[in-house]
Amino acid sequence: MSKPLKCSALLAPLLASCVTGDYNQTRVYQPVSEEAVAALEVGRSGLEQALEDLGAPLQVIELGAGAALAWGWKEATDWNVTGSASIGSVRGRLQFANAALEFPGVVLFFDGDWVLMAKERGFLSELLLRPQLPRLVEDGGAPETGA
């Protein structure tokens, strides 16, 4: 068998295959200023200062008498490649992606008087999805039953 014929026999399965891919740059929201977060003092800073320095939060979650306010952002470059081929009756597919679903951010925790009690930095999925203690709901006047 001649050399060009051998090469074409080796390349034939590749001609029957398909390779696709994409490259994406993503920017969602803007990171908050490190200096602005550092300037907020636990036990002293209030909600008004946090909103003035950081802008509107992405999410507000009620936590008993207080609340957690979250600021998040994402700036990433993601790419993926997918390849598939058929050789006779055998089909194969290979896929690789480096996309990250993590969303970095800052969460500020306030008490019932809107005083900053804690601040945490990390991935919002980890900071906001923690189990919370149930809050006390007071009964304000339900009639009593009994004899």
Side-chain angles (χ1 to χ4, degrees):
M1 186 179 276
S2 69
K3 191 172 187 174
L5 193 55
K6 287 180 186 179
C7 287
S8 61
L10 290 174
L11 291 175
L14 295 176
L15 296 175
S17 66
C18 178
V19 176
T20 60
D22 62 19
Y23 174 84
N24 300 301
Q25 289 184 320
T26 306
R27 175 181 268 169
V28 181
Y29 306 110
Q30 294 292 323
V32 295
S33 163
E34 295 274 344
E35 295 81 20
V37 174
L40 296 171
E41 296 179 51
V42 173
R44 297 193 61 172
S45 297
L47 176 65
E48 188 174 324
Q49 182 184 355
L51 294 176
E52 186 176 308
D53 293 350
L54 303 179
L58 292 178
Q59 191 168 14
V60 177
I61 300 172
E62 181 184 7
L63 299 174
L69 280 70
W71 287 262
W73 58 88
K74 182 178 179 179
E75 187 169 342
T77 301
D78 303 325
W79 59 275
N80 71 60
V81 176
T82 302
S84 61
S86 295
I87 301 174
S89 63
V90 178
R91 292 183 178 175
R93 179 182 171 131
L94 177 66
Q95 182 173 6
F96 175 80
N98 79 332
L101 298 177
E102 299 293 341
F103 220 81
V106 172
V107 178
L108 302 181
F109 297 89
F110 292 89
D111 66 9
D113 295 324
W114 295 106
V115 175
L116 182 63
M117 299 310 297
K119 52 185 175 178
E120 295 187 21
R121 181 176 291 277
F123 293 114
L124 294 183
S125 60
E126 295 170 4
L127 296 174
L128 295 175
L129 296 179
R130 294 182 182 162
Q132 302 295 330
L133 293 175
R135 69 181 183 138
L136 176 63
V137 178
E138 295 183 32
D139 190 9
E144 290 187 27
T145 59

